[in-house]
Amino acid sequence: MNHLDIAVIGGGLLGSAFAYGLSTDGGRVGLIDEGDHAIRTARGNFGLVWVQGKGLGMPDYARWSLRSAYAWTPFSEELQAQTGTLVEYHRPGGFYVSIDDTEFADNVARLKQLRDEAGDEGYDYEVVERAALCEQLPGIGPDVPGATYCPHDGHANPLKLLRALQEAFRLNGGTYTPSSRVTTIRPVNGGGFEILCEGGREFGCEKLVIAAGHGSAELGKSLGMEIPIFPVQGQVVVTERAQMTMTYPTNYVRQTDDGNYLLGPSARDVGFNDETETTTLRDITRRCTTAFPHLRRLRIQRTWAALRIMTPDGFPVYLQSEAYPEAFSFSCHSGVTLAAVHATDVSRWVLDGHIPSQYRCFHPERFDVPA
Amino acid sequence: MTQDTCTDVVVVGAGPAGMTTASCLAESGVRALLLDEHTAPGGQVYRSVEKVTDKRPADLNVLGSHYRSGSKAVERLHSSGAQYWPGTSVWEISAAEEPALAVGVVRDGRARMIQAGHIVLATGAMERPTPFPGWTLPGVMTVGAAQTLLKSSGLVPEGRIAVAGSGPLLYLYISQLIKAGKKPQVILDTRPRASLQTKLSVLAALTVDPASMFRGLGWMREVRREIRVRERVHRLRASGVEKLSSISYESCDRQFTDEVDLLLVHDGVIPNTWLAMSAGCRHHWNVQQRCWVPDITGAGQTSRQSVSVVGDAAGIIGADASVLHGEAVACEVAACLEGKQPGVVGNAAHPLLAWQHRTLRRCLDQFYPPAQEFELPPDDETVVCRCEEVTAGEIRRVAALGCVGPNQGKAFTRCGMGPCMGRKCGVTVSRLIAEHHGLSMHEVGHYRIRPPVKPINVGQLADLETDADAHTD
Amino acid sequence: MYRRRDPISDSIIIWFCDRRIEAAADDSVAAALLAASISCFGRTAVSGAPRAPFCMIGNCFDCLVEIDGETNLQACLVTVREGMRIRPHPGNGFGDNGEKGEA
């Protein structure tokens, strides 16, 4: 049996961020992960580090996203300095582009409502009519009525982020164990847990963080944690590399540092189906070429579908087991935006042994889930 | 929905297997549509056979009698009543979870969907990847590529030529080249010393299929008589600025450097599984042939109910066996469409011939094993993913970081993210990861292949019309 | 790199950048360019390394070209046409023509 101070279950964007953050404290931290052919939501992320439009109905979430966006700068710089892997974080601000008048009006109304709810508090945005967009978004389509701009928005490379987190984690002395799907968690009399994995591997730990994506619900149950999550499929179209022309990320399209364009978004309720679907891909390309007609010439390099970890209101679910307070679970669909606060604040919560009361808003009790 | 966007069976690939399957189906009254990305039928083995027969009959003597016999399958196709769309590439097969089975194609620059009751993949074979330092230089090509140029355009290499690797195709091509009046400078045979088992398997094949064996051994003898052969070659390296100018290698404990203008490499062929993998068909690692092969029940039924594979795409069997297989799969598919159980007769067509082919194939696998150094490039600087220029060293580095499979490797290094989608690197990447972790290829697995499997542009997809649109337009 | 066994009987003219090339009417674009000793069809996106056809059967994608303004075509699969204008595929970072990405 491997003995750990803290075990993190799940090697995706959340688990890797927690493992990295926890590993800076000097204890024995283990990151336990499945293999290559599991759901692996982390591989399917658009890469936005986004604030605009978030938190309708829960201003605390807007504040949380904003806090993370600003923590991203030192977070990414430290990761890069330690590992040499560039995570390509840029914060030039972002545009929410609308492709018709209804969408434009709805978006502007939504942002106004958010500001009314949340108060200004650095919650800036600007409505930009089409004519003024041409300079910042060259090639903007003639049918686009306008967009909203928020200076806090940015983007990063989620795959490089995952790699850098795991590299830094190892450099800090953490142990990464793949191909170890957790089947059972057993609390130990007197404190701590035993973790049993498929294939026979076993771990013992004092503290436990469950960040296993869709697997968290099942694992959390055994420790009395009700985690209401369900899959929402998203598909993305990735183009070949092209000359760099889009420096601002948008809700529909962003261009990576390598020159590829990512086209999205989409949402389908199809259970655990992670196959792409033709009309969904086609509709993505239609919307994105309405926004940016010049994309039409580019070859589609690849497409993918991934399963977001969605909660009933779309906001994170963070909790600590009441029966076993050394166990925590964290779930959300914004693994990139929140990576910075996950690596810093949330890791601190685990080390200190409790989630601060100001973040009780993320507890699933808000859904009236039975304890 | 117009008549031509719907059919009973779509067959992808107009090589001997695909042509035979489509012909057989059409002859028995099934609506069959044969798609192929080339402009003429024949696949690779019979590439341009119609054109050569018509316009360059003198070349038939160079290319040989086996090539010439390809006309039969082409004639059968034309008279069978099967619909045939050349110049059509297939970029996707709809997912199993979707209600209707459809094939996404690009034809004349336009994307469209074809609905079908069943799909047969006859995507044939491709050459096994052969990574070594310098293999990406202009001037390094596969033997198959050179042979395609000979067949389709009557082109013969110029200057100093080296041919490296092993396999029957290598000797066939060189014998064709000699007949065409050109001799390579040197053959670099990468095989290890023949084991007793290898020699025994040759004897076995000689008794089982003497005709093919004599033909093959004949090419080898002829070629080796005329051209210098270096044995047990390893540490092959190609060098040059902007294009190939020299190669270096070791053979029998000696070091060599040769100035060459063209290096042709070949290390056997493996099934082209990309479309079958993108359709979600299960595959397993065939240890004998060192390649991924679809799981098949019956003659050609994959793990996906409405998808079959036929010919080399199902496992390397060669052109003649592919024709027999085409007939068997056509019978099975026809029975399937009628809701019948495929008859024993269909599956057991020509059992003796099939057994002969299998035995010959086993011998060839034994006699021409893939080169160890191409499977596991020893030099870290060797580019493994040609498209994204990811080296063997980089793959080893992420394997050490904890990547236990090629998809995580892809996420961390971009290998497999280029236009070839891993066709040239997939097997190598899985191999390198398997070696690092002491895992089998089956445990490591292969890339998850997603559409588009062939090029399609954003605009082409945006303009795609489906049935749903037809009602609203 | 390659020469024709027989003289061209049905010749047509195509262009590769500014170079005028005589091709056979049923050549693939790749065959016509190789027969004209073109050894660099384009450059890689990552390092700008020169590339030419490797497999000739549509699997390596090292022969991607732009033909008469249409991009992402595999030269080994397209048949030549009279007057065809071929350029290296722009997405590969070779002499990018700057047309992409602009209004």
Side-chain angles (χ1 to χ4, degrees):
Chain A
M1 174 160 314
N2 300 291
H3 288 283
L4 301 165
D5 294 324
I6 312 176
V8 178
I9 301 178
L13 279 172
L14 267 68
S16 303
F18 300 138
Y20 163 65
L22 293 166
S23 69
T24 58
D25 196 59
R28 269 171 316 175
V29 184
L31 179 57
I32 303 166
D33 200 9
E34 287 190 278
D36 200 48
H37 304 285
I39 293 176
R40 315 253 49 143
T41 296
R43 287 186 201 150
N45 199 297
F46 202 68
L48 295 179
V49 182
W50 208 250
V51 173
Q52 182 179 164
K54 291 202 173 165
L56 193 66
M58 190 196 279
D60 283 327
Y61 182 57
R63 286 187 265 273
W64 187 228
S65 302
L66 184 63
R67 182 181 169 80
S68 197
Y70 282 90
W72 248 92
T73 306
F75 163 65
S76 59
E77 285 170 359
E78 270 163 40
L79 269 179
Q80 279 166 185
Q82 193 178 3
T83 65
T85 298
L86 299 176
V87 300
E88 300 167 10
Y89 175 56
H90 309 293
R91 189 171 63 232
F95 286 89
Y96 187 107
V97 173
S98 298
I99 57 173
D100 59 47
D101 294 321
T102 312
E103 192 186 4
F104 193 31
D106 285 350
N107 183 40
V108 172
R110 181 195 166 89
L111 291 180
K112 182 168 185 313
Q113 189 182 350
L114 266 163
R115 182 185 266 163
D116 291 342
E117 270 179 26
D120 275 335
E121 279 195 35
Y123 200 89
D124 310 299
Y125 70 90
E126 211 185 295
V127 179
V128 187
E129 304 283 335
R130 188 186 174 283
L133 275 176
C134 294
E135 204 188 297
Q136 286 115 328
L137 295 176
I140 191 81
D143 294 337
V144 169
T148 52
Y149 171 78
C150 172
H152 310 305
D153 293 335
H155 55 161
N157 185 321
L159 300 177
K160 291 229 170 127
L161 171 64
L162 189 66
R163 177 176 174 164
L165 287 169
Q166 292 189 3
E167 283 173 325
F169 170 68
R170 280 176 144 248
L171 287 169
N172 290 346
T175 50
Y176 172 70
T177 312
S179 304
S180 301
R181 190 171 157 273
V182 174
T183 53
T184 318
I185 301 173
R186 242 187 254 134
V188 172
N189 267 335
F193 307 91
E194 271 173 13
I195 300 169
L196 308 175
C197 307
E198 231 169 41
R201 258 196 209 103
E202 292 179 2
F203 297 86
C205 63
E206 302 302 318
K207 285 191 185 184
L208 177 62
V209 176
I210 298 174
H214 290 288
S216 293
E218 178 83 28
L219 293 173
K221 240 188 208 113
S222 61
L223 301 176
M225 291 189 278
E226 288 294 330
I227 301 164
I229 53 179
F230 55 92
V232 171
Q233 197 210 64
Q235 294 183 24
V236 168
V237 171
V238 183
T239 73
E240 58 173 320
R241 296 163 190 258
Q243 199 182 24
M244 280 305 297
T245 56
M246 191 179 281
T247 47
Y248 294 92
T250 74
N251 55 318
Y252 280 115
V253 180
R254 59 172 279 254
Q255 191 173 18
T256 71
D257 281 25
D258 292 315
N260 309 87
Y261 284 92
L262 266 55
L263 277 54
S266 73
R268 284 170 86 210
D269 177 13
V270 288
F272 287 97
N273 173 2
D274 70 348
E275 296 284 350
T276 54
E277 192 273 319
T278 316
T279 48
T280 309
L281 293 174
R282 191 233 10 222
D283 293 345
I284 289 172
T285 59
R286 281 188 177 175
R287 288 190 291 267
C288 293
T289 51
T290 303
F292 298 100
H294 65 83
L295 295 173
R296 288 180 57 89
R297 283 192 85 203
L298 299 176
R299 183 183 73 248
I300 297 174
Q301 188 90 300
R302 63 187 178 278
T303 62
W304 41 256
L307 300 170
R308 294 180 183 89
I309 289 100
M310 192 53 69
T311 61
D313 55 5
F315 304 133
V317 164
Y318 297 157
L319 72 161
Q320 188 172 7
S321 167
E322 298 206 2
Y324 312 101
E326 302 298 310
F328 295 80
S329 182
F330 306 107
S331 307
C332 73
H333 71 83
S334 283
V336 178
T337 300
L338 298 178
V341 286
H342 284 168
T344 52
D345 292 337
V346 179
S347 297
R348 185 83 268 157
W349 304 346
V350 174
L351 292 167
D352 291 345
H354 71 274
I355 300 176
S357 52
Q358 74 183 104
Y359 295 106
R360 192 78 189 182
C361 53
F362 297 133
H363 195 286
E365 66 195 354
R366 70 187 191 266
F367 303 118
D368 296 319
V369 169
Chain B
M1 192 158 52
T2 58
Q3 198 64 26
D4 66 356
T5 58
C6 181
T7 189
D8 292 333
V9 182
V10 167
V11 180
V12 181
M19 286 192 287
T20 305
T21 307
S23 302
C24 213
L25 284 167
E27 285 157 9
S28 63
V30 174
R31 278 182 311 164
L33 170 58
L34 178 62
L35 306 175
D36 192 271
E37 62 189 352
H38 296 288
T39 49
Q44 306 315 329
V45 63
Y46 302 133
R47 179 86 174 249
S48 304
V49 68
E50 274 182 315
K51 177 172 73 172
V52 172
T53 308
D54 253 348
K55 302 208 178 135
R56 299 177 359 233
D59 283 358
L60 289 175
N61 295 326
V62 167
L63 294 169
S65 58
H66 186 257
Y67 174 78
R68 198 177 10 232
S69 72
S71 302
K72 275 204 293 282
V74 173
E75 276 153 26
R76 185 179 180 188
L77 173 68
H78 288 319
S79 53
S80 69
Q83 219 184 343
Y84 163 58
W85 286 6
T88 305
S89 63
V90 176
W91 61 274
E92 84 152 356
I93 291 173
S94 58
E97 291 80 0
E98 301 311 320
L101 180 68
V103 177
V105 304
V106 173
R107 191 172 186 234
D108 296 326
R110 238 185 84 219
R112 54 204 294 190
M113 302 302 291
I114 301 171
Q115 297 216 358
H118 203 97
I119 297 173
V120 180
L121 300 177
T123 47
M126 57 188 191
E127 287 175 276
R128 193 188 302 276
T130 54
F132 56 89
W135 73 308
T136 54
L137 276 170
V140 180
M141 299 175 74
T142 63
V143 167
Q147 196 191 47
T148 295
L149 288 167
L150 179 60
K151 287 170 179 168
S152 65
S153 294
L155 298 187
V156 158
E158 276 189 304
R160 297 154 302 182
I161 302 154
V163 184
S166 79
L169 181 65
L170 191 147
Y171 289 97
L172 169 61
Y173 173 68
I174 298 175
S175 75
Q176 289 168 336
L177 203 55
I178 293 172
K179 286 207 191 76
K182 176 70 184 177
K183 280 191 213 171
Q185 260 52 43
V186 66
I187 296 171
L188 309 179
D189 190 330
T190 53
R191 290 175 303 157
R193 212 182 287 274
S195 64
L196 179 63
Q197 194 181 11
T198 304
K199 293 175 186 163
L200 286 175
S201 72
V202 173
L203 284 175
L206 269 167
T207 53
V208 157
D209 190 348
S212 299
M213 282 303 290
F214 278 122
R215 190 172 64 218
L217 289 172
W219 298 331
M220 268 193 89
R221 201 182 50 239
E222 213 182 289
V223 162
R224 284 169 157 260
R225 199 172 42 215
E226 305 255 0
I227 298 161
R228 184 173 60 221
V229 179
R230 301 268 187 232
E231 309 279 6
R232 299 194 286 286
V233 166
H234 54 278
R235 306 311 290 226
L236 177 64
R237 179 181 280 267
S239 308
V241 174
E242 290 290 294
K243 63 181 180 185
L244 177 71
S245 58
S246 69
I247 56 174
S248 69
Y249 53 94
E250 280 171 30
S251 164
C252 301
D253 299 321
R254 286 169 61 199
Q255 181 71 29
F256 293 90
T257 304
D258 294 333
E259 282 182 9
V260 293
D261 302 302
L262 186 66
L263 171 62
L264 302 175
V265 288
H266 179 79
D267 199 27
V269 291
I270 58 179
N272 184 339
T273 55
W274 259 247
L275 208 42
M277 283 175 172
S278 79
C281 300
R282 256 194 330 266
H283 286 68
H284 64 274
W285 182 255
N286 179 313
V287 175
Q288 187 189 326
Q289 295 200 328
R290 316 271 252 273
C291 58
W292 294 102
V293 163
D295 287 1
I296 289 178
T297 52
Q301 181 61 54
T302 67
S303 62
R304 192 166 156 188
Q305 205 201 357
S306 40
V307 178
S308 298
V309 287
V310 68
D312 277 350
I316 303 302
I317 53 175
D320 297 338
S322 291
V323 169
L324 298 179
H325 196 212
E327 288 178 353
V329 170
C331 287
E332 186 175 70
V333 170
C336 204
L337 286 173
E338 285 174 35
K340 294 191 190 143
Q341 279 294 96
V344 167
V345 171
N347 289 348
H350 311 285
L352 178 64
L353 268 176
W355 174 76
Q356 272 183 317
H357 285 129
R358 271 200 308 276
T359 308
L360 176 63
R361 187 56 40 185
R362 262 201 299 280
C363 157
L364 289 174
D365 294 339
Q366 209 43 45
F367 198 60
Y368 296 114
Q372 174 79 330
E373 286 181 359
F374 291 158
E375 285 195 304
L376 280 169
D379 288 307
D380 276 351
E381 67 178 274
T382 307
V383 168
V384 166
C385 169
R386 294 172 61 101
C387 301
E388 291 287 327
E389 300 182 82
V390 181
T391 63
E394 187 65 359
I395 304 297
R396 289 184 170 113
R397 206 166 7 254
V398 297
L401 193 56
C403 286
V404 289
N407 296 294
Q408 195 72 343
K410 181 197 260 188
F412 279 10
T413 65
R414 295 187 61 91
C415 67
M417 282 189 179
C420 98
M421 307 183 85
R423 287 168 175 87
K424 292 292 161 215
C425 69
V427 172
T428 317
V429 170
S430 289
R431 260 284 184 221
L432 286 167
I433 292 174
E435 197 220 12
H436 179 92
H437 291 290
L439 296 168
S440 69
M441 282 295 274
H442 195 76
E443 286 168 302
V444 166
H446 55 78
Y447 286 139
R448 173 84 181 265
I449 306 298
R450 302 267 201 184
V453 175
K454 275 278 165 171
I456 182 172
N457 293 341
V458 172
Q460 286 169 331
L461 180 55
D463 295 342
L464 176 70
E465 279 167 22
T466 61
D467 283 346
D469 299 335
H471 294 306
T472 56
D473 282 355
Chain C
M1 267 191 263
Y2 288 86
R3 63 170 174 81
R4 295 180 191 274
R5 289 195 71 216
D6 306 303
I8 301 174
S9 55
D10 44 1
S11 89
I12 63 166
I13 300 301
I14 63 174
W15 299 83
F16 181 68
C17 299
D18 297 327
R19 228 183 104 173
R20 182 182 180 279
I21 291 168
E22 194 190 358
D26 52 15
D27 276 343
S28 63
V29 171
L33 297 184
L34 287 170
S37 303
I38 307 282
S39 64
C40 177
F41 279 46
R43 290 183 179 275
T44 60
V46 174
S47 74
R51 290 290 171 92
F54 178 73
C55 80
M56 284 300 298
I57 61 168
N59 282 334
C60 71
F61 292 78
D62 274 332
C63 66
L64 280 178
V65 287
E66 177 187 305
I67 300 177
D68 294 334
E70 199 185 330
T71 56
N72 286 301
L73 296 167
Q74 291 172 279
C76 67
L77 297 176
V78 177
T79 306
V80 295
R81 283 185 313 270
E82 178 70 53
M84 189 183 253
R85 291 195 167 268
I86 303 146
R87 293 171 47 81
H89 177 66
N92 288 350
F94 176 63
D96 193 288
N97 58 21
E99 282 164 357
K100 282 196 183 151
E102 288 174 8

